[in-house]
Amino acid sequence: MANVVVVGSQWGDEGKGKIVDWLSERADVVVRFQGGHNAGHTLVVDGKTYKLSLLPSGVVREGKLSIIGNGVVFDPHAFVAELGKLKALGVSITPDCLKIAENTALILSLHRELDGYREDAASNSGTKIGTTRRGIGPAYEDKVGRRAIRVMDLADLETLPSKVDRLLTHHNALRRGLGHDEVTHEAIMQELTSVADQILPYMDRVWRVLDDRRRAGERILFEGAQGTLLDIDHGTYPFVTSSNTVAGQAAAGSGVGPGAIDYVLGITKAYTTRVGEGPFPTEQTGEVGDFLGTRGREFGVVTGRKRRCGWFDAVLVRQAVAVNGIKGIALTKLDVLDGLDEIKVCTGYRLDGETIDYLPASQGAQARVEPIYETLQGWQDTTAGARSWNELPAQAVKYVRHIEELIGAPVALLSTSPERDDTILVTDPFQD
Ligand code: GDP
Ligand code: IMO
Ligand code: MG
């Protein structure tokens, strides 16, 4: 028995949704532990596509328990909308199979608006982050500022008004300062009370549920959102999201001890992408970038933005292996590289005349590093849809082996198309 954490090892969109869906067959419980509906996780099952933002990717399988942990920031209206979309696709979700932690902080319309005001103002000064404008950052600020409204507050209509007042004292001061209209107490109360009945049936004491399930010997799969380079501490600050995305957060963001985690699986794209602003040493803006973007269909699930594309950066992934304690990786989208004559891989950086093997922490240095590349021969045969190792062209196998060596972690799973079953299992993370 083992519990597995899945994390993105790059800048998000590595294919976490597909792999979590695939792995969830082997799990009993799937838990989201950070982020919110800024995530966009795509699952393709028998030709049918599901796009999930807030719900754990286990919801499409029957008989699994899905959990939204306390580390998530939870937009109740986005939640209701996502439930509706999934129901329309034939997925049945009830309070028996989905639980939301009672101590989860809420995202309100004022968070979304503040996210937008700041991004708009920053656009004029050239300092925008390129957020998803979902209110993620402002909601985490209120949580840490100890003035957030939490899921459990929806059940206590006596104390809710005073909590809303406290929140509005802060937000209206900010809004006035930024030149925007104030929000009324009545508007926020209406926003919350109108949705409470649809949320409260799912509320639970999640730490207890997880403790009971663990004691009963069930397997838990923790589903990370975003990626290591978007982590608030370990990422390309300030061009990051506002949560810890690394594996350590799985424990704090759901209410289990660190000892509950047996295996960390890093989801790793066979090249690199990033959405939004910030440094990207191996970015390719020309022909190669277009090839990867077109072949890889690199458009954001949440915002529809075009993703920036570039070569595989082994420096970043090796660093992600260290900060997450990654035991093995799921290498995704290898098929996107099919047909290239040559493939480059970044093995180090040059910074101010020196060679380094890590991403420096400072914003200035991150913008200045220049990639050092190795060039590998590509392959002309297809890997798309391969379901066993022997179906892979020899050069593709060489590429995979070389990546393992450079990042210091083995490939546990290899994904060769968006479809659930186009996946090669090397090591089962639950059996490790
Ligand atoms: P996530 O945010 O990490 O869950 O990833 P996204 O769903 O945002 O982006 C990954 C995209 O790649 C989705 O459209 C997936 O359907 C797709 N995908 C996942 N694995 C593979 C793969 O091995 N090959 C190809 N071609 N597409 C894949
Ligand atoms: P998944 O889970 C890729 C990026 C945004 C922006 C920065 C901050 O699908 O991999 P935020 O709205 O979080 O304050 O935006 O983080 N970002 C993502 N990029 N995949 C994601 O999620 C992302 N979630 C946030 O583009 O650069
Ligand atoms: Mg995504």
Side-chain angles (χ1 to χ4, degrees):
M1 183 206 56
N3 298 316
V4 175
V5 181
V6 161
V7 289
S9 69
Q10 293 149 317
W11 275 292
D13 303 326
E14 298 92 347
K16 297 177 293 292
K18 166 176 166 163
I19 299 296
V20 169
D21 168 57
W22 190 90
L23 281 172
S24 64
E25 189 188 5
R26 296 165 150 76
D28 302 295
V29 184
V30 183
V31 188
R32 275 281 308 266
F33 56 87
Q34 48 72 230
H37 65 313
N38 50 347
H41 298 172
T42 318
L43 287 52
V44 185
V45 184
D46 297 333
K48 207 164 169 183
T49 301
Y50 303 87
K51 291 178 189 287
L52 302 174
S53 283
L54 190 50
L55 294 172
S57 297
V59 290
V60 303
R61 287 194 192 261
E62 274 180 34
K64 308 292 170 186
L65 178 66
S66 294
I67 290 187
I68 295 179
N70 57 275
V72 168
V73 277
F74 181 82
D75 182 327
H77 290 276
F79 170 76
V80 170
E82 196 167 319
L83 276 191
K85 275 192 202 156
L86 281 168
K87 278 187 184 155
L89 285 169
V91 181
S92 136
I93 299 170
T94 65
D96 287 336
C97 65
L98 175 68
K99 313 270 180 214
I100 306 166
E102 56 191 353
N103 47 346
T104 305
L106 297 184
I107 301 183
L108 309 180
S109 54
L110 49 75
H111 295 121
R112 219 166 34 241
E113 287 163 6
L114 183 57
D115 201 348
Y117 297 154
R118 285 175 176 160
E119 284 289 278
D120 288 341
S123 296
N124 302 327
S125 61
T127 54
K128 75 169 180 166
I129 307 287
T131 73
T132 59
R133 296 178 179 245
R134 295 296 188 268
I136 304 293
Y140 275 119
E141 287 168 32
D142 282 346
K143 173 178 172 170
V144 177
R146 294 166 289 193
R147 56 181 170 264
I149 310 286
R150 304 192 292 172
V151 170
M152 65 178 81
D153 297 327
L154 299 175
D156 184 357
L157 293 181
E158 272 191 22
T159 58
L160 184 61
S162 63
K163 292 190 170 112
V164 168
D165 280 339
R166 219 159 74 84
L167 186 69
L168 286 184
T169 304
H170 177 82
H171 274 271
N172 279 333
L174 260 177
R175 291 170 75 101
R176 279 194 302 274
L178 293 168
H180 294 280
D181 290 344
E182 293 192 8
V183 191
T184 66
H185 174 91
E186 292 68 34
I188 297 298
M189 283 300 293
Q190 162 67 17
E191 185 178 326
L192 292 170
T193 53
S194 65
V195 83
D197 286 353
Q198 294 169 79
I199 304 300
L200 290 172
Y202 295 94
M203 179 173 89
D204 213 322
R205 203 167 296 119
V206 154
W207 63 267
R208 167 67 57 76
V209 173
L210 288 174
D211 194 44
D212 290 346
R213 297 284 178 139
R214 246 165 58 70
R215 286 172 195 276
E218 294 196 4
R219 292 161 155 192
I220 305 171
L221 177 56
F222 297 89
E223 176 180 13
Q226 290 83 53
T228 306
L229 274 306
L230 288 170
D231 181 277
I232 186 78
D233 291 301
H234 298 285
T236 46
Y237 193 90
F239 303 101
V240 291
T241 192
S242 295
S243 65
N244 282 114
T245 62
V246 292
Q249 175 64 14
S254 62
V256 302
I261 296 162
D262 304 290
Y263 190 103
V264 179
L265 181 71
I267 315 301
T268 305
K269 211 180 264 194
Y271 50 99
T272 313
T273 63
R274 152 158 233 181
V275 207
E277 308 301 315
F280 182 172
T282 62
E283 182 170 16
Q284 300 294 306
T285 48
E287 217 177 290
V288 172
D290 286 346
F291 176 92
L292 296 172
T294 308
R295 285 288 296 277
R297 302 197 183 156
E298 297 294 354
F299 290 91
V301 176
V302 174
T303 57
R305 287 178 293 175
K306 203 171 168 194
R307 295 173 183 152
R308 299 155 65 191
C309 297
W311 295 119
F312 186 80
D313 189 335
V315 179
L316 298 183
V317 178
R318 187 167 56 227
Q319 198 156 321
V321 167
V323 300
N324 290 288
I326 288 172
K327 266 199 186 173
I329 64 164
L331 189 66
T332 62
K333 305 192 91 162
L334 185 67
D335 54 295
V336 173
L337 302 178
D338 289 353
L340 284 170
D341 290 332
E342 287 187 336
I343 302 173
K344 289 190 180 177
V345 175
C346 169
T347 57
Y349 297 138
R350 208 160 281 121
L351 176 66
D352 304 332
E354 285 190 32
T355 301
I356 56 172
D357 64 356
Y358 60 90
L359 183 73
S362 104
Q363 188 184 345
Q366 287 179 356
R368 285 201 311 284
V369 294
E370 289 170 25
I372 300 169
Y373 288 116
E374 255 179 31
T375 303
L376 282 82
Q377 202 186 317
W379 55 90
Q380 301 307 316
D381 298 334
T382 181
T383 65
R387 292 186 181 187
S388 74
W389 206 254
N390 349 347
E391 289 173 57
L392 301 176
Q395 284 305 328
V397 172
K398 267 195 189 167
Y399 182 73
V400 174
R401 293 296 179 221
H402 197 53
I403 282 181
E404 288 180 320
E405 211 172 287
L406 290 172
I407 65 171
V411 169
L413 292 165
L414 186 72
S415 165
T416 58
S417 102
E419 266 287 346
R420 178 188 272 175
D421 293 326
D422 291 339
T423 306
I424 301 172
L425 173 66
V426 182
T427 307
D428 184 344
F430 283 108
Q431 298 292 345
D432 183 72

